[in-house]
């Protein structure tokens, strides 16, 4: 049970970054120094606490966001370590939705990489205050100030340097603290657990004073007290500076920047201090707003244990085959065994257990108050993005947006026993991962699994075998296309049939027109209000929308079309919703077939990092794959080529890039838009 006063001393933070920037290593050090872990797990040894899934340990990457709680200087820090790989962007999206602050980890060698940009933008979208930690300063090619410049140019952030490194690469010794004007040096024998703070002297002091002056100048623009002291050339004490930094961070005006080397155990304790000092508690951010499910009125959910309950389920996981819901409590209290209401499903449920999470381990608690992030067992119906509230004062919080899958594989069970388990296993994955889709192909009878990328689907099929002992054969990856039309066309549909002893008659005439790319689908009616009853018009729209889910070319969803109801007819007492739905679907299919339908490819945005010597070959290969080169930028000894390429042309690209660059080229790609491949 958490006393009310603890809300001030709670920090809900996420650790976000590009793959390989060192997020999980930073998380492991935090757990070690806060006493949560007795030893440090290393990602490269497959022993990281936060990477607890076998697939994560084998690949050395984070796949699923892990939740844990630790204590630093009498503050409860609830941490979500998020994945860096673009295939698992939804994990970052839904974590940021429920966090109050974030730590962006950047590699001092790689700088601001593509996925760093993606997650930073996601944090901006949810207005999450951030601090930055520039990692790997001991590595060859580390460039602290270059990375800060990239934060300005690529992220449009306003970095505020609170530390600068004492030496870099092999000579990286520690950090210079610009607020307390101290040199912090870590003791290698204690694995960085002990460190010393010394007053600055000589050249280091001169350098630190230059950057401290810049710190004061930046803070003077956002804080009147510091402005007066700065203009009057008066000294500013450390506590005043910290208050100003905190205010500017919480208001999203500045991003404090710290530095270190997590792998070498340097820089983590000041980072924890910064989390406590500068990132907001649940009380420092505006209270979340929802809507009343019936009236649509705006409902404010104050961050108080005494307020009515409002909690958001941001993730569902299958732990040992049982459903575990992760929830953020925004207001009120969640009590084990006490009934809650889910307005999305209009159902009441009882959380049987409330759990404080530590990666895949957990501790039972009786109740959770405002600001808590907990695991819930025993919710049968609830799913990602749904709200839990009190039945007497219902509220529906804004749902989480999900991405559309772009790649598919056919999966078929290897044995009859696997066949029986497959449907159940897939249902569990669908409950856990909103970016996954499953359908059965009507023509072939195959089960088609669609996801965000090759790695995403590879992990799912691996987990089927590992966690659920269900063996499947996997077909070659297939691209998930979209269909659209080139020309306007008119279609007719007539439904004149007896169904279950009742005669139905409905005729529908529709006109279809192409829309600009990315416009979505629209439906309108030319008929006057008295020509067709509202329920029959709704049935027509339903028939059209269902029909657009599978096009006439290859059965892919149809996008960017406007459908208009031109005419509708029925006979007395024979008009029905069923009749108009079927007639509209027939008319829609007829119009689509006449409107010159064509396929739209998923176009991927690809960033390739290559040494200059191989640039010509790589650009030539991208062009051969129908890629459009958008830009080439020089980045710390390498060239970054940005291009858009149809996904169908990108299968096996990692192998050809490796062979073209002697294994020195790397790339990342994510979905950009649907368009016709040229």
């Amino acid at each position: 049970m958490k006393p009310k006063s603890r809300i001030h001393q709670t920090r809900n933070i996420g650790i976000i970054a590009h793959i390989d920037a060192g997020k999980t290593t930073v998380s492991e050090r935090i757990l070690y120094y806060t006493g949560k872990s007795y030893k440090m797990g290393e990602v490269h040894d497959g022993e990281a606490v936060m990477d607890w899934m076998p697939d994560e340990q084998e690949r050395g990457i984070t796949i699923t966001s892990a939740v844990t709680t630790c204590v630093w200087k009498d503050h409860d820090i609830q941490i979500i370590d998020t994945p860096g790989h673009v295939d698992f962007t939804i994990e970052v999206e839904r974590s940021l939705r429920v966090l109050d602050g974030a730590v962006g980890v950047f590699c001092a060698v790689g700088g601001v990489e593509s996925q760093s940009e993606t997650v930073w933008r996601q944090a901006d979208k949810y207005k999450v205050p951030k601090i930055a930690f520039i990692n790997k300063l001991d590595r060859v090619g580390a460039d602290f100030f270059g990375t800060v410049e990239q934060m300005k140019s690529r992220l449009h952030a306003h970095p505020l340097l609170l530390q600068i490194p004492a030496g870099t690469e092999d000579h990286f010794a520690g950090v210079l603290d610009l607020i307390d004007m101290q040199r912090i040096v870590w003791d290698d024998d204690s694995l960085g657990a002990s460190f010393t703070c010394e007053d600055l002297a000589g050249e280091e002091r001169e350098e630190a004073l230059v950057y401290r002056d810049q710190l004061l100048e930046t803070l003077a623009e956002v804080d009147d007290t510091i402005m007066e002291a700065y203009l009057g050339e008066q000294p500013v004490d450390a506590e005043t500076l910290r208050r100003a930094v905190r205010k500017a961070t919480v208001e999203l005006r500045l991003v404090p920047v710290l530095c270190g080397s997590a792998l070498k155990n340097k820089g983590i304790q000041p980072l924890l201090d910064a989390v406590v000092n500068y990132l907001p508690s649940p009380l420092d951010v505006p209270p979340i707003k929802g809507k009343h499910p019936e009236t649509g009125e705006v409902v404010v959910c104050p961050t108080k244990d005494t307020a009515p309950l409002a909690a958001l389920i941001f993730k569902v996981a299958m732990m040992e085959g049982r459903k575990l819901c992760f929830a953020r409590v925004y207001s009120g209290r969640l009590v084990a065994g006490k009934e809650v209401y889910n307005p999305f499903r209009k159902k009441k449920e009882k959380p049987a257990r409330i759990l404080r999470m530590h990666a895949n381990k957990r501790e039972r608690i009786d109740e959770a108050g405002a600001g808590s992030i907990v695991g819930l067992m025993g919710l049968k119906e609830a799913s990602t993005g749904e709200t839990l509230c009190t039945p007497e004062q219902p509220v529906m919080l804004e749902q989480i947006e999900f991405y559309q899958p772009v790649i598919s594989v056919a999966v078929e069970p290897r044995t009859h026993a696997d066949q029986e388990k497959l449907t159940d296993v897939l249902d569990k994955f669908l409950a856990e991962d909103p970016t996954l889709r499953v359908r059965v192909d009507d023509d072939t009878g195959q089960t088609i699994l669609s996801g965000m990328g090759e790695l995403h689907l590879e992990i799912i099929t691996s987990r089927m075998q590992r966690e659920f002992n269900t063996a499947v054969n996997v077909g070659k990856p297939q691209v998930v296309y979209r269909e659209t039309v080139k020309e306007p066309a008119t279609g007719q549909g007539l439904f004149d049939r007896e169904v279950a002893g009742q005669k139905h008659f409905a005729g529908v005439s529709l006109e279809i027109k192409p829309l600009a790319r990315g416009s979505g689908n629209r439906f309108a009616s030319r008929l006057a209000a008295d020509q067709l009853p509202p329920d029959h018009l709704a049935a027509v729209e339903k028939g059209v929308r269902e029909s657009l889910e599978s096009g006439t070319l290859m059965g892919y969803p149809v996008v960017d079309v406007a459908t208009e109801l031109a005419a509708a007819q029925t006979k007395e007492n024979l008009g029905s919703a069923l009749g108009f739905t079927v007639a509209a679907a027939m008319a829609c299919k007829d119009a689509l077939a006449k409107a010159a339908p064509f396929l739209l490819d998923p176009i991927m945005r690809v960033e390739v990092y290559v040494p200059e010597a191989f640039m010509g070959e790589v650009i030539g290969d991208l062009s051969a794959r129908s890629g459009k080169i958008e830009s080439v930028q020089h980045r710390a000894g390498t060239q970054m080529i940005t291009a858009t390429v149809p996904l169908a042309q990108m299968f096996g690209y990692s192998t050809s890039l490796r062979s073209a660059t002697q294994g020195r080229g790397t790339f990342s790609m994510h979905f950009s838009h649907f368009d016709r491949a040229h």
Side-chain angles (χ1 to χ4, degrees), residues 65-119:
S65 44
V67 181
T68 193
T69 310
C70 55
V71 178
W72 182 255
K73 296 191 174 171
D74 200 32
H75 283 70
D76 296 330
I77 303 178
Q78 302 184 105
I79 302 170
I80 301 183
D81 173 32
T82 63
H85 197 286
V86 69
D87 282 16
F88 309 106
T89 300
I90 185 62
E91 287 284 337
V92 187
E93 180 91 17
R94 57 188 178 182
S95 299
L96 286 169
R97 171 74 170 77
V98 298
L99 291 170
D100 302 321
V103 177
V105 179
F106 299 99
C107 170
V109 181
V112 177
E113 295 164 285
S114 58
Q115 189 62 6
S116 306
E117 277 191 73
T118 307
V119 294

Side-chain angles (χ1 to χ4, degrees), residues 491-495 506-510 540 544 565-569 579-581 583-585 587:
Q492 276 77 35
L494 184 67
F495 185 70
V508 169
S509 177
L510 295 171
V540 170
V544 168
L565 175 60
Q569 61 180 107
F580 277 106
T581 298

Side-chain angles (χ1 to χ4, degrees), residues 248-260:
T249 306
V250 171
E251 291 174 356
L252 302 171
R253 298 174 76 175
L254 298 172
V255 178
V257 178
L258 298 96
C259 59

Side-chain angles (χ1 to χ4, degrees), residues 222-281:
V222 296
D223 187 281
D224 292 342
T225 310
I226 292 177
M227 167 77 84
E228 285 173 26
Y230 183 69
L231 292 176
E233 297 185 359
Q234 299 295 315
V236 183
D237 65 275
E239 213 39 59
T240 306
L241 281 177
R242 286 194 185 95
R243 272 199 304 274
V245 174
R246 178 181 182 78
K247 185 169 179 284
T249 306
V250 171
E251 291 174 356
L252 302 171
R253 298 174 76 175
L254 298 172
V255 178
V257 178
L258 298 96
C259 59
S261 167
L263 193 62
K264 292 291 194 303
N265 311 315
K266 292 176 168 66
I268 301 300
Q269 294 92 336
L271 176 63
L272 280 164
D273 288 341
V275 166
V276 166
N277 290 334
Y278 309 129
L279 288 180
S281 77

Side-chain angles (χ1 to χ4, degrees), residues 24-55:
T24 302
T25 308
V26 169
S27 302
E28 292 298 317
R29 298 312 185 261
I30 287 174
L31 296 181
Y32 180 72
Y33 297 133
T34 57
K36 198 74 188 179
S37 302
Y38 68 91
K39 71 187 271 284
M40 291 184 202
E42 300 297 4
V43 175
H44 51 264
D45 295 334
E47 292 180 353
V49 174
M50 301 296 266
D51 287 351
W52 54 270
M53 283 169 64
D55 282 296

Side-chain angles (χ1 to χ4, degrees), residues 610 614 617-618 621 625 652-666:
V610 290
F614 305 107
E617 202 169 335
V618 170
D621 182 40
R625 293 170 186 269
Y653 181 65
S654 54
T655 310
S656 55
L657 179 65
R658 269 200 300 273
S659 58
T661 62
Q662 298 171 6
R664 292 164 65 195
T666 60

Side-chain angles (χ1 to χ4, degrees), residues 1 27 60 81 86 91 159 169 185 192 210 254 268 273 288 320 335 389 404 476 505 579 598 601 614 626-627 645:
M1 180 173 160
S27 302
D81 173 32
V86 69
E91 287 284 337
E169 300 184 351
V185 180
V210 171
L254 298 172
I268 301 300
D273 288 341
I288 196 163
E320 293 143 20
V335 181
C389 58
Q404 294 301 311
K476 279 183 70 176
F505 182 90
F598 63 91
D601 288 70
F614 305 107
S626 309
V645 192

Side-chain angles (χ1 to χ4, degrees), residues 382-422:
S383 188
T384 303
E386 293 174 10
T387 306
L388 301 176
C389 58
T390 50
E392 303 78 36
Q393 287 161 297
V395 60
M396 197 184 266
L397 302 175
E398 186 189 347
Q399 286 203 283
I400 299 168
E401 289 176 21
F402 301 130
Y403 298 89
Q404 294 301 311
V406 293
I407 191 166
S408 292
V409 289
V411 292
E412 50 189 44
R414 286 188 194 163
T415 66
H416 184 66
D418 293 326
Q419 170 76 58
E420 290 173 356
K421 286 190 282 186
L422 185 62

